[in-house]
């Protein structure tokens, strides 16, 4: 995003492309009953990122800002269709975003995940990156949904503690 704001068109195109994939997974998880609306929401969010890019605070992580726009687009979508749904506050995105403040730093995210035990790493990747449900990620890891939830919580807590230590040190 920073490169795009500074006029680097190829970097900005790459950002929008990678963000589009993440948004698609985000909306697919929340729109299982209306998959036909997913692509519209992805495009609306990408347009919002583009039109509101001047409001982005360069000192803050990009991912939480972009996903806040996505959450607002989703809520607007449900309001237009008079659907009442509770939306979780995906604060876990902020944890992972701190390891990948721009689209080119997926190596940092990979390194951070590599510090976790294999099962926890697989659950984080499955749920938070690939967009699987807890039940699906748990089945893939060979554990129950409840065990997957506990392991995912512990993994995110561990990443959060490492992040705080990294920011302090």
């Amino acid at each position: 995003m920073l490169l795009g704001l500074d006029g680097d068109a190829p970097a900005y195109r790459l950002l929008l492309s990678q963000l589009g994939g993440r948004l698609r997974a985000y909306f697919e998880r929340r729109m299982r009953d209306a998959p036909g609306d997913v692509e519209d929401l992805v495009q609306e969010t990408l347009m919002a990122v583009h039109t509101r890019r001047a409001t982005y605070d360069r000192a803050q992580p990009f991912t939480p800002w972009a996903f806040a726009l996505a959450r607002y687009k989703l809520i607007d979508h449900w309001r237009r269709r008079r659907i009442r749904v509770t939306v979780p506050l995906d604060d876990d995105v902020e944890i992972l975003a701190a390891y990948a403040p721009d689209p080119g730093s997926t190596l940092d995210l990979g390194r951070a995940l590599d510090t976790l035990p294999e099962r926890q790493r697989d659950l984080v990747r499955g749920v938070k990156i690939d967009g699987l449900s807890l039940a699906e990620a748990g089945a893939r890891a060979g554990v129950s949904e409840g065990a997957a939830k506990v392991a995912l919580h512990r993994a995110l807590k561990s990443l959060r503690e490492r992040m705080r230590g990294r920011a302090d040190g």
Side-chain angles (χ1 to χ4, degrees):
M1 181 64 158
L2 296 177
L3 292 173
L5 289 172
D6 291 337
D8 186 337
Y12 189 62
R13 277 193 299 277
L14 179 62
L15 166 76
L16 294 177
S17 173
Q18 289 180 345
L19 181 59
R22 289 183 178 181
L23 289 170
R24 206 163 281 105
Y26 173 84
F27 289 125
E28 284 172 349
R29 279 196 314 267
R30 288 156 179 80
M31 302 291 295
R32 293 186 195 276
D33 58 333
D37 294 335
V38 168
E39 195 58 35
D40 290 342
L41 284 166
V42 169
Q43 294 306 314
E44 284 180 37
T45 305
L46 290 174
M47 287 299 297
V49 166
H50 179 71
T51 59
R52 292 179 180 92
R53 68 188 183 277
T55 67
Y56 171 65
D57 180 356
R58 292 171 174 257
Q60 299 298 316
F62 171 74
T63 306
W65 179 81
F67 276 88
L69 291 175
R71 190 168 35 253
Y72 295 135
K73 290 297 176 186
L74 182 60
I75 290 168
D76 289 345
H77 170 80
W78 285 333
R79 281 185 184 141
R80 282 190 305 269
R81 291 183 176 51
R82 292 179 168 76
I83 299 171
R84 294 191 56 98
V85 178
T86 303
V87 179
L89 298 176
D90 291 324
D91 38 292
D92 301 326
V93 171
E94 295 166 337
I95 296 165
L96 296 176
Y99 278 102
D102 62 55
S105 18
T106 54
L107 292 176
D108 289 343
L109 177 60
R111 274 186 250 143
L113 289 174
D114 286 343
T115 65
L116 296 172
E118 182 178 359
R119 179 172 289 156
Q120 288 182 352
R121 181 176 53 244
D122 291 345
L123 289 169
V124 170
R125 279 194 177 115
V127 173
K128 297 299 177 183
I129 297 173
D130 298 337
L132 300 176
S133 69
L134 274 170
E136 293 166 332
R140 186 192 283 179
V143 298
S144 69
E145 182 177 355
K149 184 175 184 176
V150 170
L152 179 63
H153 174 76
R154 287 180 180 161
L156 294 172
K157 181 179 178 185
S158 176
L159 286 174
R160 188 177 299 119
E161 288 170 358
R162 285 188 182 100
M163 292 285 303
R164 285 190 182 124
R166 189 180 237 188
D168 296 339

